[in-house]
Amino acid sequence: MTTLLLPSSMSDEPVVPDGVHVVRYDVAEPLPDDALDAEALVVWGNGHGQLSDAARRLTRLRWVQTLAAGPDSVLAAGFAPDVVITSGRGLHDGPVAEHTLALLLALARRLPDCVRAQDEHRWADDLGGMQEFRPGLEFRSLAEARVLIWGFGSIAGRLAPLLTALGAEVQGVARTAGTRHGYPVLSTFDLPDALPHTDVLVSLLPATPQNTRVVDGPVFELLPDHAFVVNVGRGAVLDEDALLSAIRHGRIAGAALDVFDTEPLPADSPLWTEPRILVTPHAAGGRPLGAGELVTENLLALLSGAEQRNVVPRA
């Protein structure tokens, strides 16, 4: 009998074959003592303490499925090297693409400024009425906007066509150059040449040691002063102090941030009160669409000895 631990935070029910015992556990509580023989563990919204406890006490564990697109928290928990870890890559493509598009449109149409004016009961003439269209000089529309997406994976593959449909010119940046999802992708070596011609830089980068604060001061220096930065990947990839400095000194126009180095974002963070930064509370994902199907597929692969989907490489 194989025991599968499913988190209380997962609402999508996988199809489980005969011979598999399913135990639901609360992500806010220690793992139940009567399920420590589990060979399979699904995680979603688990804290670091519980993950570390699972790594220590689940001595028969063979497989961990995280429903998050990025497996960084699971990798940091200390699971044994022979435990296979699979990610939720692909489950969040649609929701994150939608949220990123919403942030881009909000910046282009100056919706944060409109909301502030509404709070003040102020008719903001500068935000309405006749507007001059100046592509390449300011970001006020996705039409003819030059959008550079750093981290061109499956989420970018969903986002890019939406931007194209609204008239944007989309390029990607990845470790190696080429064509992905039908779009030109530059290597990170060529990034400095592309930044001065960018209206919006979108970061979809995962949290890896190589990516720590890679979206930093030198990047902001190369962007034109009308450019915006959008981060919906991981908070650790962006240097928040350098971003604030760049915005306050007029080196870039502003930013929209959904992820942060510390979450929840501390109440005293200056990011809250900077008028040219739009903050959302890690809201882009949070809806793993197709989670049940992925768990079923990988569970069947585990039982049959087949290759599982979204296996995370481990050194």
Side-chain angles (χ1 to χ4, degrees):
M1 176 73 71
T2 298
T3 298
L4 169 67
L5 288 171
L6 289 181
S8 58
S9 52
M10 179 182 177
S11 57
D12 197 0
E13 288 286 347
V15 177
V16 176
D18 293 338
V20 174
H21 175 52
V22 175
V23 175
R24 283 279 183 177
Y25 71 95
D26 189 334
V27 297
E29 300 291 338
L31 293 173
D33 291 336
D34 60 354
L36 297 182
D37 62 343
E39 296 179 58
L41 171 68
V42 178
V43 302
W44 176 233
N46 307 58
H48 177 73
Q50 191 193 61
L51 287 176
S52 298
D53 180 62
R56 184 174 61 254
R57 294 204 294 153
L58 297 179
T59 56
R60 296 185 59 197
L61 195 65
R62 297 169 56 198
W63 163 54
V64 178
Q65 170 72 63
T66 174
L67 302 185
D72 39 295
S73 61
V74 175
L75 291 173
F79 288 98
D82 60 341
V83 174
V84 176
I85 296 173
T86 55
S87 76
R89 182 168 54 87
L91 301 181
H92 303 271
D93 292 358
V96 175
E98 287 180 3
H99 193 84
T100 307
L101 178 62
L103 294 178
L104 286 164
L105 288 171
L107 294 176
R109 308 309 301 180
R110 301 298 192 268
L111 293 189
D113 295 330
C114 290
V115 171
R116 292 186 184 94
Q118 180 179 352
D119 289 342
E120 299 168 3
H121 296 196
R122 174 173 56 85
W123 186 265
D125 289 310
D126 58 315
L127 301 174
M130 294 187 299
Q131 301 287 318
E132 186 179 1
F133 183 53
R134 303 196 307 161
L137 298 175
E138 61 180 351
F139 177 56
R140 297 300 298 267
S141 172
L142 281 172
E144 299 185 35
R146 299 161 301 187
V147 180
L148 190 63
I149 303 176
W150 194 353
F152 211 84
S154 60
I155 294 173
R158 290 288 293 271
L159 174 64
L162 302 176
L163 300 176
T164 299
L166 292 171
E169 175 188 318
V170 180
Q171 278 190 313
V173 179
R175 287 190 297 271
T176 57
T179 300
R180 297 187 185 183
H181 309 289
Y183 288 87
V185 175
L186 309 172
S187 73
T188 50
F189 178 80
D190 295 319
L191 177 63
D193 295 329
L195 289 172
H197 310 289
T198 296
D199 297 312
V200 187
L201 174 64
V202 178
S203 171
L204 291 170
L205 290 167
T208 65
Q210 297 80 10
N211 288 342
T212 301
R213 291 180 177 78
V214 72
V215 186
D216 58 4
V219 169
F220 306 140
E221 289 285 355
L222 288 171
L223 288 168
D225 59 11
H226 69 271
F228 285 83
V229 172
V230 176
N231 189 18
V232 285
R234 283 290 187 265
V237 309
L238 184 139
D239 187 329
E240 295 173 356
D241 291 337
L243 177 73
L244 271 170
S245 177
I247 291 174
R248 288 173 174 175
H249 288 88
R251 292 194 294 273
I252 62 173
L257 308 176
D258 184 59
V259 289
F260 303 89
D261 204 19
T262 300
E263 295 184 1
L265 184 63
D268 60 353
S269 170
L271 297 174
W272 287 112
T273 52
E274 171 53 52
R276 287 178 291 172
I277 293 180
L278 173 59
V279 170
T280 56
H282 204 141
R287 304 164 188 83
L289 305 182
E293 290 88 342
L294 178 62
V295 171
T296 297
E297 178 183 340
N298 277 341
L299 175 63
L300 292 175
L302 175 75
L303 296 175
S304 66
E307 184 177 354
Q308 292 175 297
R309 180 173 147 203
N310 293 352
V311 173
V312 178
R314 303 181 71 185

